[in-house]
Amino acid sequence: MAKTSSSSVAGDAWYAYDGNDSDVFLYSTVCLARNLANYPFPAQLRGNDGDRIQSLVFDAFNSLPDGENYQALAVCKLDDLGARILMEREILGEDHKEKNAGVIVRSDGRVTCSVNLTDHVRISSFAPGFDFNGPMTLAGTVDHGLQSKLQFAASYDFGYLTSTVEEAGSGIRFCVRMHLPSLTALGRIFSLTRNYNGDGICFSDSFGSGGVDSIGMQALTAGSLGSFYDLKSGNSLSGSEFDQLANIVSVATKFRDLERTARFECKRNMNSSVRNVVFRCIALARSAIFIQLREAIALIGGVKWGVDIGILEGIDDTGLRALLYRIQEGHLEYVLKNGNFSFEREIKNDSKKKIERLRSVILQEAFENIKVSG
């Protein structure tokens, strides 16, 4: 396979579509882990086992009824930019440089599959907003189709066998990305996440922790950068996949309701502090010449808070969610590589500054029609 350009892995922007409860939930993901019978797990592959597995999986996808909609790529043939874009879209992880690794992407971007990374096969399906049913159906259809061509390792006692004990059994993992600025501002997020962590649930910061670069939020409480959090199912061992789904839906729904209630408290009891954060985000986004990635995430989180709490209007949650992908380093490098831009003389030879400049322009254009509500 010839060296793959970044354009071949850009995929369609599934995240630019509307979704359920998008004020709190950015997107939902369902992941299925599978391993081929009679082969060791990826970390113990020997000889040409990895090549053989990759060929078997690629051929199995080609045999699916909609196989023409999938593009299979050997990761070693990806250029650095293409790999970075796939990482930003959470299709590849940090371990993507493993030998014999592969990735398969459906043309609409809603279904992906990694090969020979943590497991031989990891099928992931995405949906905007709060929606596990759609991704479960898509991932399940692919899984069923692959099993007509591949024999997956399974045990009557343990279910599907995976490289980690936590994922054995159903082999399914659920994840939803949430925006919880009001609970963060009220200082409740830490106790809530501690209370719910465990019992098959795991919380993490989506983009790392906040800090002094959190654009005003540090005046309240830092929390996660931009107040974005990931809620994941912790293991696949206990109960059926429907029990595991019910568990994460129950917890996610509680956080949705708590965040919406907290918005009213913030607006009623700390309106000046909220407006300070929101207006500072808008002011910086509209005036800055250069914007770094962490700054941009914090700005988007602050503006989204303003929209959802009723202070701002002129942009919706779908547009804000898409911005979180559009301001990423790899995406901007791709745009620069394939576009025709004119930069200020002092930065035209500085690739880092050009990316930061383009990021500021993208935010300014996206926020152009935002105004104070009412």
Side-chain angles (χ1 to χ4, degrees), residues 91-92 102-104 112-117 119-123:
I91 296 171
L92 286 178
V103 64
I104 302 159
T112 68
C113 178
S114 65
V115 182
N116 287 334
L117 292 179
D119 292 282
H120 296 151
V121 174
R122 293 181 74 91
I123 305 162

Side-chain angles (χ1 to χ4, degrees), residues 289-303:
I289 303 298
F290 305 110
I291 298 180
Q292 298 177 359
L293 177 60
R294 281 181 57 86
E295 289 178 326
I297 293 170
L299 291 174
I300 293 169
V303 170

Side-chain angles (χ1 to χ4, degrees), residues 312-330:
L312 302 177
E313 60 184 24
I315 191 170
D316 58 21
D317 289 311
T318 301
L320 289 164
R321 178 177 58 239
L323 271 178
L324 288 170
Y325 291 90
R326 293 177 59 205
I327 51 88
Q328 295 291 328
E329 300 284 330

Side-chain angles (χ1 to χ4, degrees), residues 139 159 191 258 294 336 370 374:
S191 61
L258 288 170
R294 281 181 57 86
L336 284 174
I370 291 180

Side-chain angles (χ1 to χ4, degrees), residues 235-300:
N235 67 70
S236 306
L237 287 169
S238 57
S240 68
E241 61 185 41
F242 298 103
D243 296 328
Q244 295 157 23
L245 173 61
N247 188 29
I248 192 169
V249 167
S250 174
V251 175
T253 300
K254 289 176 183 177
F255 271 84
R256 178 198 64 194
D257 296 343
L258 288 170
E259 171 63 22
R260 288 174 174 171
T261 300
R263 284 180 200 153
F264 291 104
E265 291 187 52
C266 287
K267 197 168 184 180
R268 182 180 66 246
N269 300 330
M270 49 191 298
N271 189 47
S272 296
S273 295
V274 174
R275 292 166 70 87
N276 178 60
V277 171
V278 171
F279 293 160
R280 287 188 67 196
C281 288
I282 284 291
L284 180 56
R286 286 177 169 171
S287 61
I289 303 298
F290 305 110
I291 298 180
Q292 298 177 359
L293 177 60
R294 281 181 57 86
E295 289 178 326
I297 293 170
L299 291 174
I300 293 169

